[in-house]
Amino acid sequence: KTLGGFDGLGTVSYSPTGHLLLNFVERRQRILAVPFLESELEIAGEPFLVAPGGQFPSVSANGLMIYYLGSSSVQSEVVWVDREGRAGQIVGRPRLGLDSPAISPDGHKVAVVAYENENADIWIQEIARGTWSRLVSGPQDEMSPTWSPSGDRIFYLRLEGNLFWTLMEVPADGSG
Protein backbone atom coordinates (compact mmCIF):
# COMPACT_ATOMS: atom_id res chain seq x y z
CA LYS A 1 0.00 0.00 0.00
CA THR A 2 1.44 3.36 -0.97
CA LEU A 3 1.03 5.88 1.86
CA GLY A 4 2.43 8.94 0.13
CA GLY A 5 5.53 10.37 -1.46
CA PHE A 6 8.07 12.45 0.43
CA ASP A 7 10.97 13.98 -1.49
CA GLY A 8 14.35 13.20 0.12
CA LEU A 9 12.96 10.66 2.60
CA GLY A 10 15.66 8.48 4.17
CA THR A 11 13.92 6.20 6.68
CA VAL A 12 10.55 5.76 8.36
CA SER A 13 9.89 4.42 11.86
CA TYR A 14 6.72 3.92 13.87
CA SER A 15 6.10 5.64 17.18
CA PRO A 16 3.64 4.21 19.72
CA THR A 17 2.26 7.76 19.98
CA GLY A 18 0.45 7.01 16.70
CA HIS A 19 2.88 8.72 14.35
CA LEU A 20 5.29 7.78 11.62
CA LEU A 21 8.68 9.44 12.04
CA LEU A 22 10.06 10.54 8.70
CA ASN A 23 13.85 10.89 8.62
CA PHE A 24 15.17 13.16 5.89
CA VAL A 25 18.95 12.72 5.66
CA GLU A 26 19.74 14.28 2.29
CA ARG A 27 20.05 18.00 1.73
CA ARG A 28 18.36 19.39 4.85
CA GLN A 29 18.51 16.84 7.66
CA ARG A 30 15.39 16.75 9.79
CA ILE A 31 12.79 14.53 11.42
CA LEU A 32 9.09 15.05 10.75
CA ALA A 33 6.16 13.25 12.36
CA VAL A 34 2.89 12.49 10.62
CA PRO A 35 -0.24 11.14 12.35
CA PHE A 36 -0.81 7.49 11.39
CA LEU A 37 -3.84 5.24 11.88
CA GLU A 38 -2.29 1.83 12.47
CA SER A 39 -5.65 0.02 12.23
CA GLU A 40 -6.34 1.55 8.80
CA LEU A 41 -2.70 1.74 7.66
CA GLU A 42 -3.31 5.34 6.61
CA ILE A 43 -1.72 8.72 7.14
CA ALA A 44 -4.21 10.85 9.09
CA GLY A 45 -2.85 14.38 8.87
CA GLU A 46 -0.09 16.68 7.76
CA PRO A 47 3.61 16.18 8.66
CA PHE A 48 5.08 18.50 11.30
CA LEU A 49 8.67 19.22 12.30
CA VAL A 50 9.97 17.31 15.32
CA ALA A 51 13.75 17.77 15.16
CA PRO A 52 15.56 20.14 12.79
CA GLY A 53 18.96 18.64 11.99
CA GLY A 54 17.97 15.34 13.60
CA GLN A 55 18.64 11.90 12.16
CA PHE A 56 17.93 8.25 13.02
CA PRO A 57 15.02 8.61 15.48
CA SER A 58 14.31 5.77 17.88
CA VAL A 59 11.26 5.56 20.15
CA SER A 60 10.71 3.42 23.25
CA ALA A 61 7.41 1.66 24.00
CA ASN A 62 6.29 4.57 26.22
CA GLY A 63 6.95 7.20 23.52
CA LEU A 64 10.37 8.50 24.63
CA MET A 65 12.38 9.49 21.57
CA ILE A 66 16.11 9.71 21.10
CA TYR A 67 17.88 10.81 17.94
CA TYR A 68 21.27 11.68 16.53
CA LEU A 69 22.39 15.26 16.06
CA GLY A 70 26.00 15.81 15.05
CA SER A 71 28.83 14.61 12.84
CA SER A 72 30.72 11.30 12.85
CA SER A 73 34.08 13.11 12.61
CA VAL A 74 33.81 15.05 15.91
CA GLN A 75 33.12 14.34 19.56
CA SER A 76 29.36 13.87 19.92
CA GLU A 77 27.00 13.18 22.75
CA VAL A 78 23.56 11.65 23.11
CA VAL A 79 21.13 13.97 24.91
CA TRP A 80 17.55 13.46 26.09
CA VAL A 81 15.21 16.02 24.53
CA ASP A 82 11.75 16.72 25.97
CA ARG A 83 8.57 17.08 23.94
CA GLU A 84 9.10 20.85 23.71
CA GLY A 85 12.56 20.32 22.16
CA ARG A 86 14.61 21.34 25.22
CA ALA A 87 17.87 19.45 25.75
CA GLY A 88 18.13 17.66 29.08
CA GLN A 89 20.35 14.95 30.57
CA ILE A 90 23.42 13.82 28.63
CA VAL A 91 23.46 10.04 28.13
CA GLY A 92 27.00 8.81 28.80
CA ARG A 93 30.08 10.79 27.90
CA PRO A 94 31.03 12.47 24.63
CA ARG A 95 32.71 10.10 22.18
CA LEU A 96 34.08 10.33 18.68
CA GLY A 97 31.50 9.73 15.99
CA LEU A 98 28.43 8.67 17.89
CA ASP A 99 25.80 7.67 15.37
CA SER A 100 22.40 5.95 15.03
CA PRO A 101 21.21 5.83 18.67
CA ALA A 102 18.42 3.32 19.32
CA ILE A 103 16.58 3.30 22.64
CA SER A 104 15.50 -0.03 24.11
CA PRO A 105 11.75 -0.73 24.32
CA ASP A 106 11.85 -0.30 28.11
CA GLY A 107 13.77 2.99 27.84
CA HIS A 108 16.67 1.82 30.07
CA LYS A 109 19.42 1.31 27.47
CA VAL A 110 20.67 2.91 24.28
CA ALA A 111 22.43 1.03 21.49
CA VAL A 112 24.69 3.40 19.59
CA VAL A 113 27.41 3.28 16.95
CA ALA A 114 30.79 4.70 18.00
CA TYR A 115 33.95 4.96 15.95
CA GLU A 116 37.38 3.85 17.19
CA ASN A 117 40.41 3.73 14.90
CA GLU A 118 38.15 4.58 11.93
CA ASN A 119 35.99 1.51 12.59
CA ALA A 120 32.30 1.61 13.56
CA ASP A 121 31.19 -0.73 16.36
CA ILE A 122 27.95 -1.04 18.33
CA TRP A 123 27.96 -0.14 22.01
CA ILE A 124 25.30 -0.38 24.74
CA GLN A 125 24.84 2.46 27.23
CA GLU A 126 22.97 1.59 30.43
CA ILE A 127 21.35 4.89 31.28
CA ALA A 128 20.84 4.55 35.06
CA ARG A 129 24.30 3.11 35.78
CA GLY A 130 26.11 5.14 33.14
CA THR A 131 28.09 2.14 31.90
CA TRP A 132 29.23 1.53 28.31
CA SER A 133 29.92 -1.91 26.89
CA ARG A 134 30.85 -2.92 23.38
CA LEU A 135 28.20 -5.24 21.95
CA VAL A 136 29.55 -5.87 18.45
CA SER A 137 33.09 -5.43 17.20
CA GLY A 138 34.93 -6.55 14.12
CA PRO A 139 37.18 -5.37 11.31
CA GLN A 140 34.15 -4.34 9.26
CA ASP A 141 31.75 -1.49 10.13
CA GLU A 142 28.65 -2.37 12.13
CA MET A 143 25.85 0.19 11.81
CA SER A 144 22.18 1.01 12.39
CA PRO A 145 21.29 -0.92 15.57
CA THR A 146 17.59 -1.64 16.10
CA TRP A 147 16.03 -3.37 19.13
CA SER A 148 13.56 -6.22 18.84
CA PRO A 149 10.14 -5.37 20.36
CA SER A 150 10.92 -7.60 23.37
CA GLY A 151 14.31 -5.90 23.87
CA ASP A 152 16.26 -9.17 24.00
CA ARG A 153 17.86 -8.92 20.54
CA ILE A 154 19.50 -6.24 18.43
CA PHE A 155 19.51 -6.20 14.66
CA TYR A 156 22.21 -4.29 12.79
CA LEU A 157 23.93 -3.92 9.42
CA ARG A 158 27.50 -5.14 8.78
CA LEU A 159 29.49 -3.86 5.82
CA GLU A 160 30.96 -6.72 3.81
CA GLY A 161 34.16 -5.78 1.96
CA ASN A 162 32.98 -2.23 1.16
CA LEU A 163 30.50 -3.78 -1.28
CA PHE A 164 27.20 -4.58 0.42
CA TRP A 165 25.45 -4.68 3.78
CA THR A 166 24.41 -7.87 5.60
CA LEU A 167 21.57 -7.88 8.13
CA MET A 168 22.77 -9.41 11.41
CA GLU A 169 21.29 -10.09 14.85
CA VAL A 170 22.82 -10.57 18.29
CA PRO A 171 21.46 -11.09 21.84
CA ALA A 172 21.19 -7.65 23.48
CA ASP A 173 23.00 -8.88 26.59
CA GLY A 174 26.12 -9.65 24.54
CA SER A 175 26.00 -13.38 25.31
CA GLY A 176 26.49 -14.55 21.74
Side-chain angles (χ1 to χ4, degrees), residues 46-89:
E46 293 298 315
F48 57 92
L49 183 64
V50 174
Q55 298 178 64
F56 311 112
S58 176
V59 183
S60 68
N62 69 0
L64 281 173
M65 182 175 80
I66 195 167
Y67 63 89
Y68 171 72
L69 180 63
S71 166
S72 62
S73 62
V74 297
Q75 291 276 23
S76 304
E77 54 194 22
V78 176
V79 179
W80 289 110
V81 177
D82 67 18
R83 286 181 168 83
E84 286 75 43
R86 292 184 300 258
Q89 171 191 356

Side-chain angles (χ1 to χ4, degrees), residues 127-145:
I127 297 167
R129 295 188 331 184
T131 59
W132 280 88
S133 58
R134 191 185 318 244
L135 179 68
V136 179
S137 175
Q140 56 286 80
D141 285 340
E142 292 87 20
M143 301 290 292
S144 303

Side-chain angles (χ1 to χ4, degrees), residues 115-154:
Y115 286 81
E116 285 191 352
N117 302 319
E118 299 183 19
N119 181 258
D121 293 326
I122 298 175
W123 294 73
I124 300 294
Q125 162 77 45
E126 291 193 36
I127 297 167
R129 295 188 331 184
T131 59
W132 280 88
S133 58
R134 191 185 318 244
L135 179 68
V136 179
S137 175
Q140 56 286 80
D141 285 340
E142 292 87 20
M143 301 290 292
S144 303
T146 301
W147 294 83
S148 65
S150 62
D152 64 341
R153 307 206 58 80
I154 293 179

Side-chain angles (χ1 to χ4, degrees), residues 13-67:
S13 55
Y14 177 74
S15 170
T17 61
H19 295 85
L20 293 178
L21 298 174
L22 311 175
N23 184 202
F24 294 83
V25 295
E26 302 207 4
R27 291 180 294 176
R28 195 177 64 147
Q29 298 171 344
R30 65 198 186 282
I31 300 169
L32 300 179
V34 62
F36 181 70
L37 297 174
E38 185 178 8
S39 61
E40 304 296 322
L41 297 178
E42 290 183 359
I43 290 177
E46 293 298 315
F48 57 92
L49 183 64
V50 174
Q55 298 178 64
F56 311 112
S58 176
V59 183
S60 68
N62 69 0
L64 281 173
M65 182 175 80
I66 195 167
Y67 63 89

